[in-house]
Amino acid sequence: MLIAIPAVLTKDEVAQFRARLDGADWQDGAATAGAVARRQKRNLQLDDRAEPALSLGALVLAKVQAHPLFISAALPRKIFPPKFNRYEGGGTYGAHVDSALMRAPSGDFTVRSDLSATLFLSEPEEYDGGELEIEGAFGVQRVKLPAGDMVLYPSSSLHRVTPVTRGARIASFFWIESLVADEGARTLLFDLDQAVQGLTPAVGVEDADLLKLTHVYHNLLRRWART
Ligand code: NI
């Protein structure tokens, strides 16, 4: 499932990110790709062991971990330190699958990529092309969100970024290992949680049936979560 998470960053925060990113020392992204992906990948990335990637990445982590929709959708166990990329002048990333296991730059831990995240830092009207195309059971979905919004999608999916033919597409991206590895189970939990949240204002937190649904949610989570 593909889930859009609105307003991970406010427009003011996006402007602060961009002030630090626009003049940053961008490097050839192919250097960090595997042998197969290298032929597909034409973009720029920041060195994720140096500033400003370190402090901006920490800010992204703090923002997503405080976002209830992200927590509900991802049920995060471990999050890869956010990275930053830039596509311009025809830059593109052809169809690929993200590696299953990602070693953090610090070498301290490995993340199994259950979910991939892209946080958009350019407004859609700033660039042409640069759609994130994700192949799923219902065909290809094209994603191009307002700056500050983020998309979550299964890391198992084939995906690509179409060539940027005008302007620059700047984004942060990272991977999440979920407490619930199985995508189908995680989607059921997300749907149930969102339904409970949606019903709560109408029926009130004391409602007996709402309590039963909450009870089912937690017992399913207990059954499926691996900490
Ligand atoms: Ni990818």
Side-chain angles (χ1 to χ4, degrees):
M1 190 168 53
L2 193 151
I3 301 160
I5 315 272
V8 170
L9 298 180
T10 65
K11 296 298 183 190
D12 280 350
E13 288 164 341
V14 169
Q16 288 164 23
F17 270 63
R18 287 291 298 274
R20 295 189 64 190
L21 289 170
D22 286 352
D25 180 22
W26 293 93
Q27 303 173 352
D28 184 358
T32 59
V36 176
R38 192 170 300 150
R39 283 176 291 152
Q40 304 269 58
K41 189 175 180 189
R42 240 173 42 241
N43 70 359
L44 299 168
Q45 283 183 197
L46 285 187
D47 179 353
D48 46 22
R49 291 155 303 178
E51 290 300 337
L54 285 172
S55 55
L56 294 181
L59 280 170
V60 171
L61 264 188
K63 297 298 284 192
V64 295
Q65 284 172 315
H67 202 301
L69 190 59
F70 172 80
I71 300 296
S72 175
L75 295 169
R77 180 170 182 270
K78 285 191 248 175
I79 304 178
F80 194 92
K83 296 162 76 75
F84 296 85
N85 61 15
R86 177 182 181 104
Y87 294 81
E88 61 191 346
T92 182
Y93 198 164
H96 68 278
V97 174
D98 295 342
S99 299
L101 299 174
M102 303 279 189
R103 190 93 181 131
S106 62
D108 291 348
F109 63 100
T110 297
V111 172
R112 181 192 61 231
S113 59
D114 295 323
L115 289 154
S116 299
T118 296
L119 169 62
F120 289 79
L121 295 169
S122 298
E123 295 294 354
E125 54 273 17
E126 284 183 73
Y127 59 99
D128 290 334
E131 284 91 1
L132 174 61
E133 293 189 343
I134 301 160
E135 291 188 18
F138 300 106
V140 175
Q141 288 184 279
R142 288 175 185 80
V143 186
K144 187 169 182 173
L145 298 178
D149 289 11
M150 188 171 87
V151 63
L152 279 178
Y153 58 98
S155 300
S156 56
S157 65
L158 259 184
H159 54 273
R160 67 180 71 79
V161 176
T162 64
V164 172
T165 55
R166 178 188 64 87
R169 174 200 194 267
I170 297 165
S172 177
F173 64 104
F174 53 96
W175 300 274
I176 300 115
E177 177 175 321
S178 179
L179 291 162
V180 178
D182 182 78
E183 201 216 334
R186 195 185 328 111
T187 301
L188 285 173
L189 287 168
F190 177 64
D191 289 344
L192 180 54
D193 185 45
Q194 291 304 298
V196 167
Q197 303 297 329
L199 281 172
T200 304
V203 301
V205 288
E206 305 284 316
D207 183 82
D209 290 324
L210 189 72
L211 183 63
K212 276 186 205 160
L213 288 175
T214 306
H215 177 86
V216 170
Y217 175 84
H218 284 284
N219 284 334
L220 287 175
L221 184 57
R222 207 183 320 275
R223 180 170 291 213
W224 290 332
R226 294 287 174 272
T227 57

